[in-house]
mmCIF file of all heavy atoms in Angstrom:
data_model
loop_
_atom_site.group_PDB
_atom_site.id
_atom_site.type_symbol
_atom_site.label_atom_id
_atom_site.label_comp_id
_atom_site.label_asym_id
_atom_site.label_seq_id
_atom_site.Cartn_x
_atom_site.Cartn_y
_atom_site.Cartn_z
ATOM 1 N N LEU A 68 97.492 111.376 71.255
ATOM 2 C CA LEU A 68 98.616 112.078 71.860
ATOM 3 C C LEU A 68 99.553 112.604 70.781
ATOM 4 O O LEU A 68 99.688 111.997 69.718
ATOM 5 C CB LEU A 68 99.389 111.136 72.781
ATOM 6 C CG LEU A 68 98.606 110.499 73.913
ATOM 7 C CD1 LEU A 68 99.466 109.477 74.639
ATOM 8 C CD2 LEU A 68 98.107 111.555 74.874
ATOM 9 N N GLU A 69 100.232 113.693 71.100
ATOM 10 C CA GLU A 69 101.162 114.288 70.148
ATOM 11 C C GLU A 69 102.609 113.904 70.419
ATOM 12 O O GLU A 69 103.499 114.330 69.693
ATOM 13 C CB GLU A 69 101.024 115.813 70.173
ATOM 14 C CG GLU A 69 99.667 116.278 69.692
ATOM 15 C CD GLU A 69 99.512 117.783 69.710
ATOM 16 O OE1 GLU A 69 100.255 118.473 70.447
ATOM 17 O OE2 GLU A 69 98.648 118.279 68.983
ATOM 18 N N VAL A 70 102.845 113.123 71.462
ATOM 19 C CA VAL A 70 104.214 112.717 71.823
ATOM 20 C C VAL A 70 104.252 111.219 72.081
ATOM 21 O O VAL A 70 103.255 110.629 72.493
ATOM 22 C CB VAL A 70 104.729 113.467 73.074
ATOM 23 C CG1 VAL A 70 104.788 114.962 72.828
ATOM 24 C CG2 VAL A 70 103.905 113.148 74.292
ATOM 25 N N PRO A 71 105.407 110.593 71.884
ATOM 26 C CA PRO A 71 105.544 109.184 72.256
ATOM 27 C C PRO A 71 105.537 109.049 73.783
ATOM 28 O O PRO A 71 105.994 109.948 74.491
ATOM 29 C CB PRO A 71 106.905 108.783 71.696
ATOM 30 C CG PRO A 71 107.461 109.943 70.980
ATOM 31 C CD PRO A 71 106.590 111.121 71.232
ATOM 32 N N ILE A 72 105.022 107.943 74.284
ATOM 33 C CA ILE A 72 104.955 107.738 75.731
ATOM 34 C C ILE A 72 105.803 106.554 76.198
ATOM 35 O O ILE A 72 105.784 106.217 77.369
ATOM 36 C CB ILE A 72 103.499 107.579 76.214
ATOM 37 C CG1 ILE A 72 102.828 106.399 75.526
ATOM 38 C CG2 ILE A 72 102.742 108.867 76.029
ATOM 39 C CD1 ILE A 72 101.489 106.023 76.140
ATOM 40 N N LYS A 73 106.561 105.978 75.286
ATOM 41 C CA LYS A 73 107.406 104.840 75.652
ATOM 42 C C LYS A 73 108.335 105.242 76.790
ATOM 43 O O LYS A 73 108.983 106.281 76.745
ATOM 44 C CB LYS A 73 108.216 104.367 74.449
ATOM 45 C CG LYS A 73 109.063 103.144 74.731
ATOM 46 C CD LYS A 73 109.678 102.634 73.446
ATOM 47 C CE LYS A 73 110.622 101.485 73.627
ATOM 48 N NZ LYS A 73 110.302 100.488 74.574
ATOM 49 N N ASP A 74 108.355 104.414 77.836
ATOM 50 C CA ASP A 74 109.204 104.600 79.010
ATOM 51 C C ASP A 74 108.886 105.861 79.816
ATOM 52 O O ASP A 74 109.717 106.344 80.574
ATOM 53 C CB ASP A 74 110.689 104.599 78.631
ATOM 54 C CG ASP A 74 111.116 103.263 78.056
ATOM 55 O OD1 ASP A 74 110.583 102.226 78.504
ATOM 56 O OD2 ASP A 74 111.969 103.248 77.151
ATOM 57 N N ARG A 75 107.677 106.388 79.659
ATOM 58 C CA ARG A 75 107.263 107.558 80.435
ATOM 59 C C ARG A 75 106.179 107.147 81.421
ATOM 60 O O ARG A 75 105.479 106.160 81.225
ATOM 61 C CB ARG A 75 106.753 108.658 79.501
ATOM 62 C CG ARG A 75 107.857 109.098 78.538
ATOM 63 C CD ARG A 75 107.519 110.298 77.762
ATOM 64 N NE ARG A 75 107.590 111.483 78.615
ATOM 65 C CZ ARG A 75 107.213 112.685 78.200
ATOM 66 N NH1 ARG A 75 106.750 112.856 76.984
ATOM 67 N NH2 ARG A 75 107.284 113.712 79.012
ATOM 68 N N ASP A 76 106.050 107.925 82.500
ATOM 69 C CA ASP A 76 105.048 107.663 83.529
ATOM 70 C C ASP A 76 103.793 108.471 83.215
ATOM 71 O O ASP A 76 103.843 109.706 83.129
ATOM 72 C CB ASP A 76 105.604 108.042 84.903
ATOM 73 C CG ASP A 76 106.784 107.172 85.266
ATOM 74 O OD1 ASP A 76 106.549 106.001 85.597
ATOM 75 O OD2 ASP A 76 107.927 107.655 85.188
ATOM 76 N N ILE A 77 102.682 107.773 83.049
ATOM 77 C CA ILE A 77 101.441 108.386 82.612
ATOM 78 C C ILE A 77 100.449 108.442 83.766
ATOM 79 O O ILE A 77 100.228 107.454 84.459
ATOM 80 C CB ILE A 77 100.794 107.568 81.463
ATOM 81 C CG1 ILE A 77 101.800 107.313 80.328
ATOM 82 C CG2 ILE A 77 99.526 108.239 80.965
ATOM 83 C CD1 ILE A 77 102.377 108.547 79.703
ATOM 84 N N LEU A 78 99.846 109.620 83.931
ATOM 85 C CA LEU A 78 98.762 109.780 84.891
ATOM 86 C C LEU A 78 97.543 110.207 84.087
ATOM 87 O O LEU A 78 97.504 111.296 83.516
ATOM 88 C CB LEU A 78 99.114 110.821 85.946
ATOM 89 C CG LEU A 78 98.118 111.009 87.065
ATOM 90 C CD1 LEU A 78 97.929 109.717 87.857
ATOM 91 C CD2 LEU A 78 98.577 112.123 87.989
ATOM 92 N N LEU A 79 96.583 109.321 83.996
ATOM 93 C CA LEU A 79 95.379 109.549 83.207
ATOM 94 C C LEU A 79 94.375 110.356 84.017
ATOM 95 O O LEU A 79 94.071 110.005 85.161
ATOM 96 C CB LEU A 79 94.786 108.192 82.812
ATOM 97 C CG LEU A 79 93.719 108.150 81.742
ATOM 98 C CD1 LEU A 79 94.178 108.797 80.449
ATOM 99 C CD2 LEU A 79 93.310 106.711 81.485
ATOM 100 N N VAL A 80 93.870 111.449 83.437
ATOM 101 C CA VAL A 80 92.942 112.341 84.126
ATOM 102 C C VAL A 80 91.615 112.337 83.370
ATOM 103 O O VAL A 80 91.552 112.672 82.191
ATOM 104 C CB VAL A 80 93.501 113.776 84.212
ATOM 105 C CG1 VAL A 80 92.541 114.685 84.958
ATOM 106 C CG2 VAL A 80 94.874 113.779 84.873
ATOM 107 N N GLU A 81 90.559 111.950 84.080
ATOM 108 C CA GLU A 81 89.222 111.848 83.499
ATOM 109 C C GLU A 81 88.237 112.477 84.465
ATOM 110 O O GLU A 81 88.443 112.439 85.679
ATOM 111 C CB GLU A 81 88.890 110.360 83.264
ATOM 112 C CG GLU A 81 87.480 110.045 82.859
ATOM 113 C CD GLU A 81 87.085 110.542 81.484
ATOM 114 O OE1 GLU A 81 87.054 111.769 81.293
ATOM 115 O OE2 GLU A 81 86.779 109.722 80.615
ATOM 116 N N ASP A 82 87.165 113.059 83.933
ATOM 117 C CA ASP A 82 86.199 113.715 84.818
ATOM 118 C C ASP A 82 85.095 112.781 85.298
ATOM 119 O O ASP A 82 84.717 112.806 86.454
ATOM 120 C CB ASP A 82 85.603 114.964 84.162
ATOM 121 C CG ASP A 82 84.771 114.648 82.933
ATOM 122 O OD1 ASP A 82 85.071 113.650 82.245
ATOM 123 O OD2 ASP A 82 83.826 115.397 82.640
ATOM 124 N N ILE A 83 84.585 111.949 84.428
ATOM 125 C CA ILE A 83 83.486 111.056 84.803
ATOM 126 C C ILE A 83 83.838 109.633 84.379
ATOM 127 O O ILE A 83 84.233 109.396 83.246
ATOM 128 C CB ILE A 83 82.165 111.462 84.115
ATOM 129 C CG1 ILE A 83 81.745 112.853 84.582
ATOM 130 C CG2 ILE A 83 81.065 110.449 84.407
ATOM 131 C CD1 ILE A 83 80.545 113.413 83.853
ATOM 132 N N ILE A 84 83.668 108.710 85.310
ATOM 133 C CA ILE A 84 83.891 107.295 84.988
ATOM 134 C C ILE A 84 82.583 106.578 85.248
ATOM 135 O O ILE A 84 82.073 106.580 86.364
ATOM 136 C CB ILE A 84 85.019 106.691 85.857
ATOM 137 C CG1 ILE A 84 86.323 107.446 85.600
ATOM 138 C CG2 ILE A 84 85.177 105.206 85.568
ATOM 139 C CD1 ILE A 84 87.450 107.054 86.504
ATOM 140 N N ASP A 85 82.008 105.999 84.189
ATOM 141 C CA ASP A 85 80.760 105.247 84.393
ATOM 142 C C ASP A 85 81.041 103.755 84.414
ATOM 143 O O ASP A 85 81.131 103.153 85.463
ATOM 144 C CB ASP A 85 79.671 105.654 83.404
ATOM 145 C CG ASP A 85 80.131 105.651 81.952
ATOM 146 O OD1 ASP A 85 81.212 105.127 81.656
ATOM 147 O OD2 ASP A 85 79.397 106.172 81.099
ATOM 148 N N THR A 86 81.280 103.137 83.284
ATOM 149 C CA THR A 86 81.543 101.698 83.260
ATOM 150 C C THR A 86 83.013 101.358 83.469
ATOM 151 O O THR A 86 83.348 100.236 83.800
ATOM 152 C CB THR A 86 81.111 101.079 81.907
ATOM 153 O OG1 THR A 86 81.954 101.609 80.877
ATOM 154 C CG2 THR A 86 79.654 101.360 81.612
ATOM 155 N N GLY A 87 83.895 102.317 83.235
ATOM 156 C CA GLY A 87 85.325 102.075 83.334
ATOM 157 C C GLY A 87 85.926 101.450 82.078
ATOM 158 O O GLY A 87 87.130 101.234 82.008
ATOM 159 N N GLN A 88 85.105 101.175 81.075
ATOM 160 C CA GLN A 88 85.587 100.523 79.854
ATOM 161 C C GLN A 88 86.556 101.409 79.075
ATOM 162 O O GLN A 88 87.547 100.925 78.535
ATOM 163 C CB GLN A 88 84.414 100.114 78.960
ATOM 164 C CG GLN A 88 83.553 99.013 79.545
ATOM 165 C CD GLN A 88 84.364 97.760 79.836
ATOM 166 O OE1 GLN A 88 85.149 97.296 79.022
ATOM 167 N NE2 GLN A 88 84.167 97.205 81.016
ATOM 168 N N THR A 89 86.272 102.720 79.006
ATOM 169 C CA THR A 89 87.162 103.624 78.276
ATOM 170 C C THR A 89 88.527 103.672 78.937
ATOM 171 O O THR A 89 89.557 103.540 78.272
ATOM 172 C CB THR A 89 86.548 105.032 78.183
ATOM 173 O OG1 THR A 89 85.289 104.948 77.515
ATOM 174 C CG2 THR A 89 87.465 105.982 77.421
ATOM 175 N N ILE A 90 88.549 103.831 80.260
ATOM 176 C CA ILE A 90 89.813 103.882 80.993
ATOM 177 C C ILE A 90 90.593 102.585 80.800
ATOM 178 O O ILE A 90 91.799 102.590 80.570
ATOM 179 C CB ILE A 90 89.565 104.117 82.505
ATOM 180 C CG1 ILE A 90 88.904 105.470 82.726
ATOM 181 C CG2 ILE A 90 90.844 103.970 83.311
ATOM 182 C CD1 ILE A 90 89.787 106.654 82.530
ATOM 183 N N LYS A 91 89.906 101.458 80.893
ATOM 184 C CA LYS A 91 90.556 100.160 80.727
ATOM 185 C C LYS A 91 91.165 100.032 79.329
ATOM 186 O O LYS A 91 92.299 99.563 79.181
ATOM 187 C CB LYS A 91 89.536 99.041 80.949
ATOM 188 C CG LYS A 91 90.153 97.661 81.043
ATOM 189 C CD LYS A 91 89.114 96.563 81.199
ATOM 190 C CE LYS A 91 88.413 96.677 82.528
ATOM 191 N NZ LYS A 91 87.466 95.573 82.758
ATOM 192 N N ALA A 92 90.451 100.466 78.305
ATOM 193 C CA ALA A 92 90.953 100.368 76.936
ATOM 194 C C ALA A 92 92.131 101.314 76.709
ATOM 195 O O ALA A 92 93.110 100.946 76.054
ATOM 196 C CB ALA A 92 89.823 100.668 75.948
#
Side-chain angles (χ1 to χ4, degrees):
L68 302 174
E69 295 180 338
V70 298
I72 59 169
K73 183 172 176 39
D74 297 326
R75 299 190 74 186
D76 296 286
I77 308 301
L78 184 61
L79 193 56
V80 181
E81 171 67 295
D82 65 330
I83 297 174
I84 299 173
D85 50 12
T86 66
Q88 293 302 313
T89 301
I90 297 287
K91 190 183 293 184

